[in-house]
Amino acid sequence: YKRQVKYFDLESERKMEIFLRSLAEVKWEKSTKARVASGANPKTEWKHLIDNEICGSEGVSVGYGKIPVGEYLPLHTHEPQEIYFITRGAGLLTHDDANLKKISEGDIVYIPCNKKHGIKNTGGIDLEYLFIFMIDNWDEVRYNFIKR
């Protein structure tokens, strides 16, 4: 509970401001050659929407991802826990190497720390999703892609 008080303490030195931004005004990002060499799919894209550097948030970072039809977010792990909220499309969530679960628009997924997970787009449109980490900045996430 101490951590929550920190975020809502109106007497703190730094007053938080409400942040509003249109998804359309944020540019899509793609993996670098080094990231692709480590196992990332060069066809997936994402937008970093919220973190401490973007808007001063504390303890939460939010992004928006897109996986084209027939493509995949490779199986990977990372230290922070994560939440997916599927906003468009359908696919398969891969976890623990082989377990598959169908996911589609409106589904929410919680991923504990260091659990293997990935997504394959099996639908007829781009699969889009919010991804949320309980971290201050994006540089706190290190993706460890699982090479098959």
Side-chain angles (χ1 to χ4, degrees):
Y1 294 110
K2 288 181 184 176
R3 190 169 182 166
Q4 289 179 336
V5 171
K6 175 182 169 190
Y7 298 132
F8 298 106
D9 182 4
L10 296 177
E11 301 301 318
S12 68
E13 293 177 26
R14 183 171 149 204
K15 292 187 178 179
M16 299 297 295
E17 297 292 332
I18 292 174
F19 176 78
L20 174 63
R21 184 181 214 180
S22 168
L23 183 63
E25 69 186 43
V26 182
K27 292 183 180 176
W28 288 105
E29 297 181 47
K30 288 191 171 201
S31 291
T32 61
K33 288 181 183 179
R35 186 176 161 103
V36 171
S38 75
N41 182 341
K43 296 181 180 176
T44 60
E45 297 178 278
W46 67 90
K47 298 180 179 199
H48 288 156
L49 305 176
I50 292 175
D51 81 348
N52 191 268
E53 290 181 25
I54 294 168
C55 67
S57 65
E58 295 178 347
V60 65
S61 296
V62 179
Y64 193 78
K66 178 169 63 175
I67 304 170
V69 174
E71 292 296 330
Y72 58 92
L73 175 64
L75 195 64
H76 64 281
T77 65
H78 39 69
E79 178 66 30
Q81 58 191 331
E82 183 178 21
I83 295 170
Y84 290 152
F85 180 74
I86 310 304
T87 61
R88 185 172 187 255
L92 291 172
L93 174 73
T94 306
H95 61 96
D96 297 330
D97 288 324
N99 288 324
L100 302 175
K101 294 201 185 281
K102 290 182 181 181
I103 55 173
S104 60
E105 184 175 325
D107 287 345
I108 192 162
V109 179
Y110 168 72
I111 302 150
C113 301
N114 294 311
K115 283 290 189 178
K116 293 178 188 175
H117 61 285
I119 300 174
K120 169 124 175 104
N121 182 349
T122 58
I125 59 174
D126 290 343
L127 189 151
E128 298 182 10
Y129 59 102
L130 281 171
F131 54 99
I132 304 163
F133 288 99
M134 281 50 79
I135 57 171
D136 288 333
N137 296 312
W138 289 111
D139 59 8
E140 295 176 44
V141 181
R142 299 280 181 257
Y143 285 81
N144 305 302
F145 294 102
I146 313 297
K147 296 197 179 188
R148 294 182 168 230

